[in-house]
Amino acid sequence: MLRRKGERDPSVECNRALLVSVAQFHHGVNLGDRSGAVKDTKRIHRTLSKLGFKVDIHNDLNSDEIYALFEKESRRPVKDCFLAVLSSHGEEGCVFGADGRPVRLSHIFSCFDNTLMEEKTKLFFIQACRGGDLDDGVEVDSAGGDTTEDSFSQYLSVPVDTAVMYATAPGYGAFTHPLGAVFLQTLCTLLEEDTRNLELTRLLTRLSHRVAYTFQAKGRVLGGKKEMPCFLTRMTREVFPFAEPGKDTGANGLSATSLVGAENGRTRTPSIS
């Protein structure tokens, strides 16, 4: 069968990305709309497509639809890497569907603990609040309260060879903006630079550093507040999921802060996811 130039051969497995974004909630749900989510989705789609991922976008699904989608996606073939972005309002351990009902992240992660995904790299990026606290830029070891048990149960649900990166630490809010969320926009920026050739954990560390040290909220209420992404990993090997083919990925030996300069800083007037 003839295919247009640039069209993928459906018989060839490829790396896949799933973008699930909730920007508008059902009438009567006491959660505000998220105007920047559309810009995030468009940029992530463009960035990952250029890196060879087949990207599927799903907007404003309710909780049951999100569960069903991930159950289905966890049983589809993938070449080397499956990547998911979940963007919505949230609390520790969950994000919210368009119907305002919680989607338990532990359930989503556990879907991928199967033989089909056993030797694949699995990445999850979570753009959502994990509580109501705001980060003043001081060192935080724990959010305290009742988040510890839920955080631990999330870890136990994460399959081997999986990394999960959150926009913020347990118990804290994540910032969003009509121009896009700083966490997801910074991720795209790094994947558009040579940084994409880094080993995964070094790339995620670079992402944490750039958000933590170059972002500061503006405004009378939120001015001076910071955001500190964090990630957990059950990777058993080094992986380079975004590297250019044939690129010498281990030669430069740079630390996670070596290429992050003050010129990359920016300020925004944010809201809370």
Side-chain angles (χ1 to χ4, degrees):
M1 182 179 67
L2 294 176
R3 290 186 297 275
R4 296 176 181 174
K5 184 178 180 181
E7 185 177 353
R8 297 180 186 273
D9 183 345
S11 66
V12 177
E13 290 183 0
C14 58
N15 293 333
R16 294 191 292 108
L18 181 65
L19 311 184
V20 178
S21 176
V22 182
Q24 294 184 317
F25 293 83
H26 295 175
H27 180 71
V29 174
N30 190 28
L31 292 170
D33 290 345
R34 305 171 62 248
S35 59
V38 174
K39 289 188 178 294
D40 288 333
T41 300
K42 288 181 177 179
R43 188 175 182 192
I44 296 168
H45 179 275
R46 182 172 65 250
T47 300
L48 292 178
S49 295
K50 289 180 179 178
L51 295 175
F53 283 77
K54 183 182 183 300
V55 184
D56 291 324
I57 299 174
H58 297 265
N59 293 314
D60 301 338
L61 301 182
N62 64 39
S63 57
D64 287 340
E65 289 172 333
I66 293 174
Y67 281 132
L69 176 63
F70 277 96
E71 289 276 4
K72 177 182 176 182
E73 290 294 323
S74 68
R75 287 164 175 77
R76 291 183 56 201
V78 63
K79 183 181 179 182
D80 299 309
C81 178
F82 173 83
L83 183 153
V85 176
L86 274 161
S87 177
S88 183
H89 288 296
E91 293 178 351
E92 176 58 19
C94 73
V95 298
F96 293 106
D99 54 358
R101 295 174 59 191
V103 176
R104 295 293 170 188
L105 295 175
S106 58
H107 183 108
I108 298 299
F109 302 151
S110 64
C111 291
F112 293 82
D113 191 8
N114 61 57
T115 54
L116 184 64
M117 290 286 178
E118 189 173 15
E119 296 183 356
K120 310 300 183 182
T121 299
K122 300 162 286 287
L123 307 178
F124 295 87
F125 293 91
I126 313 298
Q127 170 61 45
C129 289
R130 304 178 72 186
D133 290 341
L134 296 175
D135 193 339
D136 291 310
V138 298
E139 184 176 352
V140 177
D141 293 323
S142 170
D146 60 358
T147 63
T148 304
E149 181 178 355
D150 200 45
S151 297
F152 187 64
S153 67
Q154 285 183 67
Y155 177 80
L156 294 178
S157 68
V158 173
V160 171
D161 290 324
T162 300
V164 182
M165 187 154 199
Y166 300 89
T168 190
Y172 283 83
F175 289 100
T176 188
H177 186 272
L179 296 178
V182 62
F183 171 63
L184 294 178
Q185 292 291 320
T186 304
L187 170 64
C188 290
T189 297
L190 292 177
L191 294 181
E192 291 163 0
E193 300 173 350
D194 285 343
T195 321
R196 65 182 175 273
N197 295 308
L198 290 174
E199 190 275 329
L200 177 63
T201 56
R202 293 185 66 201
L203 172 63
L204 299 184
T205 302
R206 188 75 62 92
L207 174 56
S208 291
H209 180 276
R210 189 170 292 191
V211 173
Y213 285 95
T214 66
F215 169 78
Q216 182 170 294
K218 294 173 61 179
R220 185 171 58 183
V221 176
L222 300 176
K225 302 300 182 182
K226 306 285 286 183
E227 181 169 307
M228 180 66 222
C230 62
F231 66 90
L232 66 86
T233 174
R234 294 195 68 197
M235 300 302 301
T236 60
R237 61 190 188 278
E238 291 186 333
V239 295
F240 301 82
F242 309 108
E244 302 171 61
K247 188 76 173 181
D248 184 359
T249 53
N252 57 24
L254 295 173
S255 70
T257 61
S258 297
L259 297 181
V260 182
E263 69 274 11
N264 293 316
R266 55 181 169 179
T267 56
R268 294 183 174 186
T269 304
S271 60
I272 299 293
S273 287

